[in-house]
Amino acid sequence: MKVTRGFLGSLLLLLACQPSAPEGGDRAVLVPVTDAARWTSHEAWPTQTRYRQVGESFQGTVHQLEVDEEGRSWVIRQDFMFPHDITGRWALDVYAPSGQRVLTLEREENVEPYRFVRHPSGELTLFELQRIPETTSYRLRLRRLSPEGRVLAARGFDDPGRPGESREYLLDEDGVAEVVESPAQELHWERSRSVHLRALALGEEAAFILWSHGVKLYRLTSGLDVAWDLQLMPGHDWMDSLAGQEQLTLDAEGNLLVAWSMHRNEAAAWRQHFGRELAWRGGRVDVLVQRIGPDGRHHAAQLHGNEHDEQLVGMGVYRGELLIGATSRVPKYDRPNDTTEWDLILMRAHMEDGTLLHHRVIDFAREDLPYDFQVDVEGRAWFAGVTDFLQVDTNSWMESGQGMLLRMDAQGERVESLLLKGPRQVIVERLAFAPDGSVRFAGTYDGPITHTDDKDPSLGFDHVMLGVGTWP
């Protein structure tokens, strides 16, 4: 939900969005910590994997994992402190190559570290959610940190919007039902999970996509000023359920690639709003990929998919080709109350004309649900998630799954795996490549499923973990 802004509110917010002097002078906000924990082995996991537990919450999830040139793991996680905690507490931590936690971002009341970008200089751009006093809503705050963790600049973020960006589309089963004009609004979000922000480094600058006026792409200077912005999708009333898989990456020419899963009705709104053609590929949901130049100019928009409803997980570029990792519920019809199952989808397409070269459904073991997808420097595709579980048509999880790390060639022909077994549910939520050739992964283990006996409080817990794996 957003709140209409009056003149005085606009003036105050404009002042708030100017870069401000960093608080605390030269004091570092990314501070050292003492931690004796190191990597250890798990008796049920492959011998080439090691892990450690992070945090001590009731439940948790990992939102971002990056590995720097020194082999340190940078992690943003969300801790849920009790069974009915729906907001959680966010943390940014840094772990040494040996697994020890060495740095943490100082906790600030009513501020959540949501995303970060590391720059070649070692500086950090932080995207943080700051709660608005006496409300449950959050605004976006930007901060720039030095390599030593000191605050170089800070500012609140808002976007008053450009002419035409305030149009909102009301959709029905046949397409666009109505177009309405929304009043000027300040940017804030009721819950952090509705922000949908992705970011990456452009040298010492940064680019990020954000749900603001629909979906927009922004380029930030090193001083946290907006160099340019571009609307990529108009606002519509189905966005909460249909556009939650946004991805952002670069091609070899430095163009920005922005993608998400798009419903047929969203495509109708996109065509009407921008006046551009968009060829539908098939099914109810395809993957939209837009290519934007470094100067903010729109170059191309292409849809990828076939009769499946492809839900985007990740994408990467290798030698002029686009690799897309997705998932879909594939019909099986071989068990009562279990007529579909989650499977992996790997697509490969030409960057220039969008020709789909390859679309493969990968059924690894019963249900396979990916949480992350990456492409390495040799063009191999990696999926991380959970496999070999059982989910029936009611969406109940009936049997626990194994944590999944899959590596395959660009065609998906050769599949190699590292599987992390129970005793209960294991999910690999994030993966990243380390300079020494190992793979870092993060997620949860020993977690509950739908029908875990909630009368025993001990069975409601899961554990958040960070791990390292070497390929045989």
Side-chain angles (χ1 to χ4, degrees), residues 239-313:
M239 286 183 68
D240 281 337
S241 60
L242 295 176
Q245 312 92 20
E246 299 91 343
Q247 298 291 324
L248 178 63
T249 191
L250 290 170
D251 68 13
E253 288 73 42
N255 297 307
L256 291 149
L257 303 179
V258 184
W260 64 84
S261 292
M262 172 177 272
H263 194 278
R264 277 182 177 271
N265 296 11
E266 290 183 291
W270 190 94
R271 293 189 190 98
Q272 183 171 332
H273 187 78
F274 295 113
R276 303 187 187 113
E277 290 301 316
L278 197 60
W280 194 255
R281 301 298 183 184
R284 295 175 304 168
V285 179
D286 283 344
V287 174
L288 172 70
V289 180
Q290 299 188 66
R291 186 164 73 247
I292 312 300
D295 57 357
R297 295 185 181 183
H298 186 276
H299 287 183
Q302 297 154 352
L303 285 166
H304 301 284
N306 62 12
E307 71 276 6
H308 293 95
D309 294 341
E310 294 91 354
Q311 302 293 329
L312 180 65
V313 177

Side-chain angles (χ1 to χ4, degrees), residues 61 97 132 146 221 235 237 284 289 326 385 406 422 433 468:
T61 188
I132 301 171
S146 72
T221 68
D237 58 339
R284 295 175 304 168
V289 180
L406 299 184
F433 307 120
V468 56

Side-chain angles (χ1 to χ4, degrees), residues 1-134:
M1 180 183 295
K2 297 177 181 177
V3 178
T4 302
R5 179 172 60 227
F7 172 76
L8 180 58
S10 298
L11 178 61
L12 293 173
L13 194 52
L14 177 64
L15 294 173
C17 290
Q18 301 303 310
S20 59
E23 299 179 2
D26 288 337
R27 183 178 64 83
V29 296
L30 196 60
V31 296
V33 292
T34 302
D35 181 12
R38 294 176 179 265
W39 304 126
T40 187
S41 59
H42 190 294
E43 60 181 8
W45 294 2
T47 56
Q48 63 266 37
T49 63
R50 291 172 294 161
Y51 81 106
R52 59 154 296 167
Q53 183 178 343
V54 298
E56 296 180 351
S57 60
F58 175 80
Q59 289 183 316
T61 188
V62 177
H63 292 280
Q64 187 174 1
L65 169 64
E66 309 285 346
V67 182
D68 65 21
E69 63 280 354
E70 299 177 21
R72 299 181 301 178
S73 300
W74 295 65
V75 176
I76 285 185
R77 73 176 193 275
Q78 187 179 13
D79 294 332
F80 300 93
M81 308 311 296
F82 49 87
H84 302 294
D85 181 2
I86 62 173
T87 57
R89 187 172 66 182
W90 295 63
L92 168 59
D93 293 318
V94 183
Y95 297 84
S98 59
Q100 294 170 290
R101 187 169 69 123
V102 292
L103 295 170
T104 190
L105 183 69
E106 279 191 339
R107 191 174 300 280
E108 186 177 348
E109 189 174 359
N110 294 321
V111 176
E112 298 174 348
Y114 191 78
R115 285 286 187 272
F116 65 85
V117 166
R118 295 190 64 259
H119 300 281
S121 64
E123 292 183 0
L124 204 71
T125 297
L126 278 175
F127 300 85
E128 299 171 302
L129 300 181
Q130 188 172 34
R131 179 171 289 184
I132 301 171
E134 300 180 358

